[in-house]
Amino acid sequence: MPAARESLLDAAYTALARRPWSAVRMVDVASAAGVSRQTLYNEFGSKEGLARALVRREADGYLAGVERALATHSDARDRLTATAEWTASTARENALVRAMLTGCWSERLPSPTLSAVPSSSAVPAQRRADGPLPSPGDFVAIVRDRAVAVLSKPGAVKSDTADLARSCELVVRLALSCVAAPPGEGGVADLVRTALPRQAV
């Protein structure tokens, strides 16, 4: 029931924008999605299951945006700049992404454990949501590794790949610093271009 699941996640996200997670009621989420409460429980099992699925969806959406940013330009610096800008803007606009990237979960948000939880769900998407969720360090590694995979030149020597990985990680960490302390004029792009000499990537 993918359409109902997405509607329920949309309704939960909208409810979370209006009130703290502790005040979000399952019956209200089901009603807003136009499905029965039983359908909601069949999909997610519990409010904790709904929270895990919502966090997983937002993590997947962020990482899909990283993939798009890395595919946007032909120049490696421009690709990394686009990735940094995506990271900073998404974290600014999406409280769940900001919490996942920084590890700073406010009392308004659900804060599911990052480790896997026992899952008896028959729904494959929920079994995945019940698996381990990425930590801030995991996100750094995932984005760095995806950037390296896209930007590596065929036949590159190991030292060149290691240098590229360091540059990619620097960009990810710089973007995360902009989440915590937004940059002034010139924004994230100027910081990335200053930090990455043209020959670095």
Side-chain angles (χ1 to χ4, degrees):
M1 199 179 278
R5 187 176 179 86
E6 280 304 306
S7 295
L8 286 161
L9 290 169
D10 289 343
Y13 186 84
T14 300
L16 182 59
R18 295 184 182 133
R19 64 184 70 89
W21 183 251
S22 60
V24 172
R25 298 181 333 142
M26 298 288 270
V27 66
D28 295 334
V29 170
S31 177
V35 301
S36 70
R37 195 166 48 161
Q38 188 58 51
T39 298
L40 181 133
Y41 281 102
N42 289 345
E43 280 293 322
F44 304 103
S46 66
K47 189 174 179 183
E48 171 71 11
L50 176 60
R52 291 186 72 82
L54 185 58
V55 169
R56 172 58 69 188
R57 182 181 79 161
E58 298 309 305
D60 290 347
Y62 164 70
L63 292 171
V66 166
E67 296 285 348
R68 286 190 302 274
L70 288 169
T72 302
H73 303 279
S74 57
D75 180 71
R77 280 181 63 193
D78 290 341
R79 289 179 182 202
L80 289 174
T81 300
T83 301
E85 289 176 315
W86 165 255
T87 296
S89 67
T90 304
R92 186 171 46 251
E93 296 163 7
N94 186 320
L96 283 173
V97 171
R98 183 170 51 252
M100 286 185 280
L101 294 177
T102 63
C104 298
W105 294 84
S106 78
E107 66 281 350
R108 288 190 54 83
L109 299 175
S111 55
T113 60
L114 296 180
S115 58
V117 297
S119 182
S120 59
S121 179
V123 179
Q126 189 58 39
R127 287 197 304 271
R128 181 170 179 264
D130 289 340
L133 296 170
S135 69
D138 294 334
F139 277 109
V140 170
I142 291 166
V143 175
R144 177 201 62 215
D145 293 348
R146 289 184 182 189
V148 169
V150 168
L151 300 176
S152 289
K153 293 178 175 56
V157 296
K158 192 172 183 178
S159 63
D160 288 345
T161 303
D163 288 343
L164 176 61
R166 279 191 291 278
S167 294
C168 292
E169 183 162 336
L170 171 67
V171 168
V172 176
R173 292 187 180 280
L174 187 58
L176 292 178
S177 75
C178 292
V179 171
E185 190 176 332
V188 181
D190 276 0
L191 290 174
V192 170
R193 289 188 182 105
T194 302
L196 282 183
R198 186 153 297 277
Q199 66 273 18
V201 289

